[in-house]
């Protein structure tokens, strides 16, 4: 293969809406046998809807939602977008948040003055494990309600508070995502060209299992409740089993795993950080384009050879 020919291949990619980092990438598409797919935003639309609000203390539904929205206003996570976009606009649900902080794969926090209090409370919105690290633990009854929400296939997010009255959970919000219309067909095609799909997510096991079943990924090929750092470990684990791994993702959290994989593929609809870490970027947001990009790159290489 001549370098000129290979570059012509990458130029053809550009015409078809693919950005291919360099000629070596075409070779890499030949070797891969496993394709790790980030769930949120890659297999699913990443456009969540708030489907249930369950306050535990004396907050009304609207207040729980408004409080979470105030804290999430500083985050770009799809969970934050969903909570903020659907927040009620009534005055009693309006809160002012300051000193925003974010923990990747955990959640967000901020200072908020709660009704009937003169002092700011620290408010946390995120997943159970992260709130526990911040000293906010669920009672047995609260844990049952969280499990019930997750059993519905929801991404359940907790709101918790730490102030003079002590750490406590103030409610659960359930969010639901939807699988993109083309994802199941794209995953079927991946199998047809001899690639094994693996699902990787920071989300809980029930949600992951439900999505996997919907798109035809085997239960043993699902990695759930994975921390952002853990995404790299999952790729390395598969590589350690002798697999040649492509990773497909869109989020900031996916960038290290995209860089670690033998082939990193970013969705063009995703974040700049993911695109920078990737070998191939497909325009748009459809998983089918990822499969097309692999097929095209392989074919381009065989024309050159
Ligand atoms: P994924 O990309 O698979 O959704 P993340 O690592 O981004 O995974 O998030 C993992 C989990 O951490 C989420 O399912 C959620 O429970 C929690 N989380 C992360 N960011 C936020 C946020 N901004 N608000 C609430 N929860 C969050
Ligand atoms: Mg993601």
């Amino acid at each position: 293969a001549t370098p000129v020919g290979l570059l012509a291949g990458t130029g053809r990619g550009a015409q078809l809406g693919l950005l291919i980092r360099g000629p070596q990438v075409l070779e890499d598409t030949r070797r891969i046998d496993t394709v790790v797919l980030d769930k949120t935003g890659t297999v699913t639309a990443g456009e969540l809807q708030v489907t249930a609000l369950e306050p535990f203390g004396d907050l009304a539904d609207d207040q729980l939602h408004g409080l979470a929205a105030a804290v999430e206003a500083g985050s770009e996570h799809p969970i934050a977008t969903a909570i903020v976009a659907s927040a009620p606009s009534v005055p009693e649900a309006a809160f002012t948040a300051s000193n925003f902080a974010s923990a990747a794969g955990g959640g967000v926090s901020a200072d908020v003055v709660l009704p009937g209090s003169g002092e700011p409370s620290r408010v946390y919105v995120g997943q159970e494990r992260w709130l526990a690290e911040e000293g906010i633990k669920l009672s047995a009854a609260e844990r049952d309600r969280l499990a019930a929400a997750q059993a519905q296939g929801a991404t359940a997010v907790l709101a918790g508070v730490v102030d003079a009255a002590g750490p406590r959970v103030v409610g659960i919000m359930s969010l639901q995502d939807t699988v993109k219309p083309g994802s199941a067909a794209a995953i079927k095609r991946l199998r047809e060209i001899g690639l094994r799909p693996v699902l990787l997510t920071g989300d809980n096991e029930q949600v992951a299992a439900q999505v996997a079943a919907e798109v035809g990924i085997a239960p043993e090929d699902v990695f759930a409740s994975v921390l952002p750092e853990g995404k790299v470990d999952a790729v390395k684990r598969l590589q350690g089993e002798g697999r040649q791994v492509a990773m497909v993702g869109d989020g900031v959290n996916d960038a290290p795993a995209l860089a670690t994989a033998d082939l990193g593929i970013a969705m063009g609809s995703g974040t700049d950080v993911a695109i920078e870490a990737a070998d191939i970027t497909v325009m748009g947001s459809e998983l089918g384009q990822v499969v097309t990009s692999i097929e095209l790159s392989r074919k381009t290489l065989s024309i050159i050879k």
Side-chain angles (χ1 to χ4, degrees):
T2 66
V4 174
L6 285 167
L7 286 171
T10 61
R12 173 103 180 95
Q15 278 172 21
L16 291 165
L18 302 176
L19 295 172
I20 298 174
R21 175 114 22 232
Q24 177 58 38
V25 171
L26 299 177
E27 297 271 1
D28 294 342
T29 61
R30 276 265 157 130
R31 288 184 312 163
I32 56 162
D33 54 27
T34 299
V35 181
V36 177
L37 304 160
D38 170 61
K39 177 180 72 68
T40 311
T42 301
V43 176
T44 67
E47 287 160 13
L48 295 123
Q49 305 289 330
V50 177
T51 52
L53 293 157
E54 258 192 281
F56 288 161
D58 36 6
L59 294 177
D61 283 14
D62 273 1
Q63 285 177 307
L64 171 63
H65 196 162
L67 178 62
V71 179
E72 291 282 11
S75 168
E76 286 178 0
H77 198 280
I79 291 173
T81 309
I83 291 176
V84 172
S86 59
S89 53
V90 293
E92 57 274 23
F95 293 90
T96 308
S98 57
N99 297 323
F100 170 81
S102 158
V108 290
S109 63
D111 291 334
V112 180
V113 179
L114 296 178
S117 166
E119 294 293 312
S121 304
R122 192 71 188 165
V123 179
Y124 298 83
V125 181
Q127 61 158 308
E128 181 187 11
R129 184 174 49 198
W130 179 66
L131 264 74
E133 284 167 18
E134 300 294 334
I136 307 165
K137 303 237 161 70
L138 290 166
S139 67
E142 289 166 347
R143 180 160 297 120
D144 285 348
R145 290 169 72 175
L146 176 65
Q150 291 176 338
Q152 302 285 312
T155 296
V157 171
L158 299 172
V161 171
V162 178
D163 58 18
R168 60 201 181 276
V169 180
V170 296
I172 301 178
M173 281 155 289
S174 294
L175 296 102
Q176 302 260 6
D177 199 353
T178 49
V179 168
K180 288 180 204 172
S183 291
I187 287 166
K188 187 161 172 266
R189 258 168 67 212
L190 271 184
R191 285 190 193 288
E192 283 164 4
I193 61 171
L195 300 173
R196 175 170 151 193
V198 171
L199 189 69
L200 182 60
T201 181
D203 211 338
N204 72 65
E205 279 74 9
Q206 288 96 329
V207 173
Q210 190 161 311
V211 170
E214 218 172 305
V215 298
I217 295 177
E220 63 270 26
D221 289 331
V222 176
F223 293 78
S225 291
V226 177
L227 290 171
E229 316 84 83
K231 290 190 176 180
V232 169
D233 297 337
V235 169
K236 285 188 181 157
R237 169 129 62 102
L238 292 163
Q239 288 170 328
E241 291 169 8
R243 305 190 151 273
Q244 297 286 329
V245 180
M247 162 84 196
V248 188
D250 69 331
V252 175
N253 295 343
D254 301 326
L258 290 171
T260 302
D262 300 286
L263 180 71
I265 305 178
M267 309 298 272
S269 54
T271 59
D272 292 347
V273 188
I275 291 168
E276 270 158 37
D279 302 302
I280 296 179
T281 299
V282 301
M283 291 302 107
S285 59
E286 287 301 318
L287 200 50
Q289 291 168 286
V290 170
V291 188
T292 304
S293 78
I294 295 170
E295 287 173 318
L296 173 81
S297 301
R298 288 177 160 188
K299 219 178 284 166
T300 303
L301 188 61
S302 46
I303 291 166
I304 294 161
K305 275 196 163 160

